[in-house]
Amino acid sequence: MSGSLLPHGEGTPALVLCHGAFTSPQGKTAHGLLRFGRIYEVRGVVDREVAGRSASDVDPDFPDVPVFESVEEALEEVKAEVLLIGAAPPGGRLTEEWRREVVAAIKAGLDVVSGLHEFLSEDPEISRLAEERGVKLVDVRRPRRELFRVADGSVRDVDATVVLTMGTDCAVGKMSAALELRDRLRDMGVEAAFLATGQTGIMVGAEEGVVVDRMPGDFMAGAVEKLVVDLAEEYEVILVEGQGALSHPAYSGVALAILHGCWPDAVVLVHDPERERRDGFPRFEVPDPEAEIALIESLSRAEVVSVALREYDRELADRLSEEGYIVERLGELSGTARRIEELHRMGR
């Protein structure tokens, strides 16, 4: 996708700003860029709490990219053309510390790509400085006007197989699952596309995408529906990234809009067995997968075909397997990919 929202070509060198979040789920945008990025070549991460180490020290699945104290320090060591805002804290606001880093990047001639709710292009100081320095401010969450539409059911007429990755909580790996399944299906000879519904997926690089939580409520489902219908003209299987959880008191509205907007044939549920409380919302418990599955299947025609576990739990896996679900660890979804390919051949 990315052409209409991201003005940079594949391999553009970039820094990722992630102060205080790189080792937590709030740094999921940075994590996604390092693991799956197709547009930006990350040359360095900026996080004062992990400075002096390598990204691979934090997670062995990350590339060996240095972590710096500040943007200024990073630019003394590596070349970059873009600063990527790499964290998604609740509320999506730019802190004063992060503002100083953004200003430093702009003064150094870097474009800035942000997925925050607060648009950098509407900030008087930042936008004025960007204009003076001739750099671009890209607000990934800014909605496209052509997606302001009410869902009309047209998604139910597509021939493509639509698969939605949903979860029992935020930041459990829904995007990771969708990207993994897209790539596995392509390796199997299936024309598969990834439809991003959040800022990270768009920044990573997707065949299409919209940040659903920035759309007006009336148009959330309609935006997703239009993108599915458009992709179905070219692709056989569409992997749609879910958001939040249907059971989440804060984010259920977005989760339901995506579910109804893409009207999936199948759902892959992502769950973290080690997480007892919702990320960022400790007063709320994370439900068992079975409770989330019951919600999903009561509100759609979709069949939950697989449960992808962020961390493998043998007792839970055995229980879910006995109930008829494919159960695999995230990153090892070969059986899930085969099941989706089978559904596609069956005309689902």
Side-chain angles (χ1 to χ4, degrees), residues 28-97:
K28 66 178 183 178
T29 296
H31 304 163
L33 288 162
L34 286 165
R35 281 198 181 105
F36 306 111
R38 302 192 319 179
I39 299 171
Y40 300 105
E41 179 189 336
V42 177
R43 299 281 181 86
V45 175
V46 178
D47 184 346
R48 49 176 161 63
E49 293 187 3
V50 200
R53 300 170 63 188
S54 169
S56 59
D57 295 332
V58 174
D59 189 320
D61 290 336
F62 293 159
D64 189 20
V65 170
V67 184
F68 298 100
E69 179 82 22
S70 65
V71 167
E72 183 178 359
E73 180 189 61
L75 292 175
E76 291 175 356
E77 301 291 334
V78 299
K79 181 183 183 300
E81 298 175 11
V82 179
L83 178 69
L84 307 167
I85 304 297
R93 299 292 180 180
L94 189 69
T95 68
E96 283 305 312
E97 179 183 33

Side-chain angles (χ1 to χ4, degrees), residues 16-314:
V16 178
L17 178 60
C18 203
H19 276 317
F22 191 52
T23 59
S24 76
Q26 289 186 359
K28 66 178 183 178
T29 296
H31 304 163
L33 288 162
L34 286 165
R35 281 198 181 105
F36 306 111
R38 302 192 319 179
I39 299 171
Y40 300 105
E41 179 189 336
V42 177
R43 299 281 181 86
V45 175
V46 178
D47 184 346
R48 49 176 161 63
E49 293 187 3
V50 200
R53 300 170 63 188
S54 169
S56 59
D57 295 332
V58 174
D59 189 320
D61 290 336
F62 293 159
D64 189 20
V65 170
V67 184
F68 298 100
E69 179 82 22
S70 65
V71 167
E72 183 178 359
E73 180 189 61
L75 292 175
E76 291 175 356
E77 301 291 334
V78 299
K79 181 183 183 300
E81 298 175 11
V82 179
L83 178 69
L84 307 167
I85 304 297
R93 299 292 180 180
L94 189 69
T95 68
E96 283 305 312
E97 179 183 33
W98 286 43
R99 170 182 289 274
R100 290 193 295 270
E101 299 286 15
V102 169
V103 168
I106 294 171
K107 287 182 176 179
L110 275 65
D111 295 340
V112 183
V113 178
S114 170
L116 300 177
H117 284 282
E118 184 178 30
F119 294 158
L120 298 185
S121 59
E122 294 181 357
D123 182 289
E125 177 194 8
I126 289 174
S127 59
R128 181 173 60 251
L129 182 61
E131 185 175 2
E132 291 173 358
R133 297 301 172 114
V135 304
K136 301 181 183 71
L137 300 176
V138 182
D139 290 306
V140 175
R141 266 195 162 95
R142 186 180 294 279
R144 290 182 275 168
R145 297 299 302 182
E146 66 267 23
L147 298 180
F148 282 48
R149 61 183 296 278
V150 175
D152 58 13
S154 55
V155 71
R156 306 184 188 206
D157 300 326
V158 302
D159 292 328
T161 300
V162 180
V163 180
L164 174 61
T165 58
M166 302 188 74
T168 53
D169 194 20
C170 303
V172 290
K174 295 180 286 289
M175 183 194 75
S176 299
L179 287 166
E180 177 187 346
L181 289 168
R182 179 197 63 183
D183 294 344
R184 286 185 179 276
L185 287 164
R186 287 182 174 179
D187 290 343
M188 296 164 65
V190 178
E191 292 291 334
F194 169 56
L195 197 170
T197 58
Q199 74 280 357
T200 304
I202 290 175
M203 291 165 73
V204 163
E207 281 64 51
E208 255 299 359
V210 57
V211 183
V212 175
D213 66 16
R214 191 64 190 191
M215 295 294 296
D218 280 355
F219 305 137
M220 290 193 295
V224 174
E225 179 179 62
K226 175 173 171 40
L227 295 182
V228 170
V229 170
D230 290 348
L231 285 172
E233 295 179 2
E234 185 177 352
Y235 295 93
E236 298 174 295
V237 176
I238 301 166
L239 283 307
V240 182
E241 172 196 18
Q243 296 292 329
L246 279 180
S247 59
H248 200 300
Y251 302 127
S252 57
V254 176
L256 182 60
I258 295 171
L259 177 64
H260 285 172
C262 76
W263 202 242
D265 300 290
V267 167
V268 175
L269 182 69
V270 187
H271 176 68
D272 184 352
E274 297 183 353
R275 190 181 301 181
E276 297 180 355
R277 298 282 170 174
R278 295 195 184 278
D279 179 51
F281 298 85
R283 70 182 299 170
F284 299 129
E285 294 183 354
V286 175
D288 290 334
E290 292 93 336
E292 198 73 27
I293 289 169
L295 274 177
I296 293 166
E297 294 186 340
S298 71
L299 292 168
S300 72
R301 68 170 187 186
E303 173 190 359
V304 177
V305 297
S306 169
V307 178
L309 299 179
R310 188 178 180 92
E311 299 294 338
Y312 202 75
D313 181 304
R314 170 58 63 185

